[in-house]
């Protein structure tokens, strides 16, 4: 199915987005787990971590990966299971809106805008 609402132009690009975003999210999760295990986490250590530009960029990459991963996954589910075009477009529009809000909100939190 070729649709204007999917991210890639074909299924291969969507598949690549899913895989790359999954790797980014796995690395981010492993890093945070390692940080929690090796550090006595308090406000100062957490704040010091987020003061590092490389970690803010890594967090932004993880946030964008969550958005892309969620969109491709939910687009696939909606095209497979929601047969009514109107309901599917409504679901996809709400999904895009929610992902957009979370990404913008996350950017504001990460970069303190």
């Amino acid at each position: 199915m070729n649709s204007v609402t999917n991210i890639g132009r074909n299924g291969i690009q969507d598949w690549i987005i899913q895989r790359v975003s999954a790797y980014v999210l796995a690395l981010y999760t492993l890093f945070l787990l390692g940080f929690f295990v090796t550090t006595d986490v308090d406000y100062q250590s957490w704040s010091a971590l987020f003061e590092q530009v490389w970690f803010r960029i890594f967090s932004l990459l993880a946030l964008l990966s969550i958005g892309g991963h969620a969109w491709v996954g939910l687009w696939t589910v909606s095209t497979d299971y929601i047969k009514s075009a109107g309901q599917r477009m409504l679901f996809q529009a709400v999904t895009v809106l929610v992902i957009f809000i979370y990404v913008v909100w996350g950017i504001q939190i990460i970069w303190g805008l």
Side-chain angles (χ1 to χ4, degrees):
M1 172 179 272
N2 192 7
S3 174
V4 296
T5 57
N6 65 344
I7 291 176
R9 295 175 193 243
N10 58 45
I12 292 173
Q13 291 172 338
D14 289 342
W15 184 85
I16 290 171
I17 290 168
Q18 283 290 93
R19 297 314 173 267
V20 170
S21 63
Y23 282 120
V24 169
L25 293 171
L27 289 172
Y28 192 76
T29 301
L30 290 173
F31 176 83
L32 285 179
L33 285 174
F35 179 76
F36 285 126
V37 168
T38 60
T39 306
D40 183 27
V41 180
D42 57 5
Y43 174 78
Q44 291 169 339
S45 63
W46 189 250
S47 180
L49 178 64
F50 271 91
E51 285 178 5
Q52 304 295 318
V53 173
W54 68 267
F55 187 71
R56 287 183 181 193
I57 293 170
F58 191 25
S59 296
L60 178 61
L61 184 60
L63 179 65
L64 295 174
S65 293
I66 288 172
H69 195 89
W71 171 246
V72 172
L74 290 171
W75 178 85
T76 302
V77 168
S78 69
T79 56
D80 286 347
Y81 295 107
I82 303 175
K83 299 304 178 191
S84 168
Q87 290 175 342
R88 185 174 54 246
M89 290 303 289
L90 178 63
F91 175 81
Q92 291 173 352
V94 170
T95 301
V96 167
L97 180 63
V98 169
I99 290 172
F100 177 77
I101 289 169
Y102 280 137
V103 167
V104 170
W105 190 16
I107 290 170
Q108 288 177 334
I109 292 169
I110 292 169
W111 294 99
L113 301 175

